Amino acid sequence: MSTIAAVIGRVLLAVIFVVSGIGKFMDVAGTEAMITGVGLPGGLAIPAGAFEILAGLALALGLATRLVSVLLFVFVGLATLFFHHKFTDPLQLAQALKNLAIMGGMLMVFAHSQMWWSWDSMRRERQGARAVRDVERERDETTLEAERRVHEAELRAARAEGRADAVQGVAPVTAERPVVNHDVEGMPETRRRRWWQ
Amino acid sequence: MNNLAAPLGRLLLSLIFILGGAGKFANLAGTGAYMQSAGVPSALALPAAAFELLGGLAILIGWQTRITALLLAGFCLLTAALFHHNFADQTQMIMFLKNLGLAGGFLTLYANGAGGMSMDARKGA
């Protein structure tokens, strides 16, 4: 339940950035006029739009969540300072307060939910699984080596026994030795498991 | 760092509700008229104001954080649907999206719990 809420929360927080980033691309000239209108240098419309889209998508996916949430926190803070600073206008005040609350949401994402059901957490799980597998493979190889030594020692003992029998004139005992296919039975699975499997 | 970010985030999230609730109390008649104009009974002005104020304060001090955050997320989505559904107006659309973003912040808060400097943390809940 918490995981679902965290993911939905991240997506909802991301929607506004993706949508308004696309909006900036649809109306570059208008955005440019709005940005220069508050005294900022021109040429910022496209970088701002691109940043909003990319950061929004990264937030929704949970890609580099902590970094992205801090960047968006700063972005929203700057946008509030430049575009909604006339607090005497109730509409501007409402917008500024909502921006503050979205910044609060960014801090929430920063503080906790980077762990949950995101690209980052999937990558961490994958690294953990790989480490466990490496340890297991090493252990398997050690076990195999020990078994091989025991087997050789038995062979040497049997040959020595056979020589002793030959010296004493006893007919050699021949027995079918079961064929152990170490390639199939002894070797650990070495095929690498990929993250999409 | 997280123990600082969480209470600061709660403060920022709660601000709009505390101020909004207080503003509604200060102007109950105007709030009622505004709600009436959006097709919502004006009798709900007082409960809405009380809910915003108390919910905001609960988030701020981190009391019963998870359930309050879930309620406020629902409140954000509900008000977005009721008051900011006129997408032809770009400001309304932005307000709608911001409300969605707020709901997202509250859902994240619901998922994580209050974090540092909260009543919930003090109780060990």
Side-chain angles (χ1 to χ4, degrees):
Chain A
M1 186 64 188
S2 288
T3 311
I4 297 171
V7 172
I8 295 176
R10 272 210 326 264
V11 171
L12 287 180
L13 276 169
V15 167
I16 185 166
F17 293 104
V18 176
V19 171
S20 67
I22 292 173
K24 284 189 177 53
F25 272 104
M26 305 265 271
D27 183 17
V28 175
T31 311
E32 200 71 49
M34 191 184 80
I35 292 176
T36 49
V38 295
L40 286 172
L44 282 176
I46 288 177
F51 170 75
E52 279 190 288
I53 292 176
L54 291 178
L57 288 178
L59 183 68
L61 287 171
L63 191 67
T65 317
R66 271 165 89 84
L67 176 67
V68 167
S69 62
V70 169
L71 289 178
L72 284 175
F73 177 83
V74 174
F75 180 83
V76 178
L78 289 177
T80 311
L81 278 181
F82 280 114
F83 296 103
H84 304 304
H85 56 261
K86 294 193 201 71
F87 294 147
T88 44
D89 178 358
L91 197 62
Q92 290 244 348
L93 182 63
Q95 293 269 24
L97 282 175
K98 284 197 180 177
N99 277 13
L100 278 188
I102 287 172
M103 289 164 74
M106 287 303 152
L107 284 183
M108 284 297 150
V109 172
F110 174 80
H112 306 287
S113 73
Q114 78 280 5
M115 305 288 290
W116 294 348
W117 204 35
S118 61
W119 182 272
D120 291 345
S121 69
M122 282 196 292
R123 196 181 56 195
R124 242 192 311 278
E125 274 169 24
R126 212 158 58 234
Q127 281 167 347
R130 191 176 297 154
V132 167
R133 200 192 49 216
D134 285 348
V135 167
E136 277 177 357
R137 181 185 298 161
E138 203 168 309
R139 205 185 55 212
D140 283 347
E141 279 168 2
T142 321
T143 318
L144 273 181
E145 177 69 14
E147 279 174 0
R148 199 179 55 78
R149 283 188 184 166
V150 169
H151 181 64
E152 274 177 7
E154 277 175 2
L155 265 181
R156 273 199 299 275
R159 286 194 194 111
E161 205 176 312
R163 277 196 294 274
D165 285 349
V167 167
Q168 287 169 18
V170 181
V173 182
T174 53
E176 283 285 310
R177 180 175 271 282
V179 178
V180 178
N181 187 345
H182 279 276
D183 282 347
V184 173
E185 291 178 2
M187 291 299 281
E189 182 75 20
T190 52
R191 191 169 58 87
R192 288 199 157 225
R193 192 175 157 83
R194 297 295 181 184
W195 62 268
W196 61 81
Q197 289 173 320
Chain B
M1 192 74 173
N2 289 347
N3 271 335
L4 256 174
L8 189 57
R10 287 208 320 275
L11 167 70
L12 293 177
L13 275 171
S14 66
L15 210 52
I16 186 168
F17 285 97
I18 296 173
L19 293 182
K24 282 190 180 57
F25 266 118
N27 185 11
L28 271 181
T31 308
Y34 172 63
M35 290 170 80
Q36 196 87 56
S37 74
V40 180
S42 60
L44 285 178
L46 185 62
F51 176 71
E52 281 194 33
L53 191 58
L54 294 178
L57 287 174
I59 293 291
L60 179 64
I61 63 174
W63 180 75
Q64 298 288 335
T65 312
R66 298 194 65 200
I67 180 73
T68 313
L70 201 55
L71 289 175
L72 285 176
F75 185 83
C76 286
L77 293 178
L78 195 66
T79 50
L82 288 176
F83 294 99
H84 305 305
H85 55 256
N86 180 18
F87 289 156
D89 180 355
Q90 210 198 349
T91 313
Q92 289 276 321
M93 170 115 180
I94 290 175
M95 292 293 248
F96 180 85
L97 288 173
K98 283 195 182 174
N99 270 36
L100 283 197
L102 290 191
F106 279 113
L107 278 182
T108 314
L109 184 58
Y110 163 75
N112 295 310
M117 291 189 224
S118 61
M119 300 289 282
D120 289 351
R122 187 162 297 183
K123 269 191 310 194

